[in-house]
Amino acid sequence: MANWKIRYIGRGDVAVASAAIQGEFARIINAVISRLDERGITSTVLHKEWAAVTGADAEEADYCRTAARLGLDPYSEAHEFEDEIIRSSQILATGLFTDFIDAVSPARIRQSQKWVSRAEAKIEEIATPWDSRAQQIRAALSGVKILSNSRPWEAGWEQARLAREAAEVDCVQQFNVGNYVATQDLISPEPRIQALGRRDGRGAALVIGSRQSSSRTRNFLVGRAFWHSVANSGDSFLVTDAYTEKQKVERAFAAELLAPAAGISQFLDGDPWSVSLENVERIADHFDVSAVLVQHQIDNQLVSA
């Protein structure tokens, strides 16, 4: 009935392999097309688009997936951005292009690609050599094996603890991430692209593209970049507001590096379930991070434990 609301009597979640989902979608579409054909209905939009999907070669499939990650229908909406997408894929390194597409808005592709080029040039100017402590941190994390069944934030927490241990920084002390990553500002035309960084033999450097409201938010951004420098493979990288598995690891790493849960627990006035806003603010002041970060650490690690 047109005006009746659907009422669900139950709900649930299930994890399914993407290949199984694709296979089921294909089965449904093929069944619909077969039924249309049986009734003499041919050359529909569904016929044409499904033929294009199933007949795409590897290069076309890559393009379609890229357009989809931009939020565009590759068969109708992506045409006006096709040249910009292809140009960026040719100019940017593979890993950098992946992060770029996850964050950029279609209308800002060209401007953002130019910003990346300018930022890469600035990194050449500000990169400074790493000291032995930074090398020790990277060496400590290089041998870490991430279990396939571990959740990304748990991997980030564990790597941050190892980094603090290698740096010989106690859990109640501030970790001055600025000692390890040289920074410079260059405002990005795409707000979702927050920074571009690079790690090489000379050390780690970061060009920050988003305006930071305080030293606390800047510390978190640099902490995320530090994860790329010491724990991730590859040289150039982007820090964005996307929520891929990699981004979840880097956020958890930065939070635990800057404000360890073990250190926070030592500053709590009482039970983490009933921590006061004033207590959270004092802890945030101590570690020079935002109160939101401290509260997330309490909720995600102390309360849940």
Side-chain angles (χ1 to χ4, degrees), residues 3-49:
N3 296 322
W4 283 22
K5 293 183 178 179
I6 297 174
R7 182 172 65 89
Y8 296 97
I9 61 174
R11 62 187 301 170
D13 297 297
V14 62
V16 182
S18 60
I21 291 291
Q22 292 175 23
E24 186 62 15
F25 283 159
R27 187 193 66 78
I28 294 171
I29 294 169
N30 285 325
V32 172
I33 289 176
S34 295
R35 189 170 181 180
L36 289 171
D37 290 341
E38 290 169 1
R39 292 177 175 269
I41 303 171
T42 59
S43 300
T44 65
V45 173
L46 179 61
H47 280 86
K48 295 174 182 177
E49 291 198 352

Side-chain angles (χ1 to χ4, degrees), residues 187-200:
I187 299 303
S188 166
E190 173 53 73
R192 298 187 63 201
I193 296 179
Q194 299 169 332
L196 179 137
R198 193 183 69 190
R199 176 198 61 80
D200 58 22

Side-chain angles (χ1 to χ4, degrees), residues 145-207:
K145 300 295 184 183
I146 303 301
L147 299 177
S148 59
N149 61 347
S150 66
R151 291 176 289 190
W153 48 90
E154 292 174 340
W157 294 336
E158 178 60 23
Q159 289 175 330
R161 292 170 191 136
L162 290 173
R164 272 186 164 260
E165 183 180 331
E168 299 180 356
V169 179
D170 189 82
C171 67
V172 297
Q173 292 179 289
Q174 278 192 22
F175 190 99
N176 192 343
V177 72
N179 290 341
Y180 299 92
V181 183
T183 62
Q184 188 168 334
D185 292 356
L186 178 67
I187 299 303
S188 166
E190 173 53 73
R192 298 187 63 201
I193 296 179
Q194 299 169 332
L196 179 137
R198 193 183 69 190
R199 176 198 61 80
D200 58 22
R202 292 171 294 173
L206 187 73
V207 173

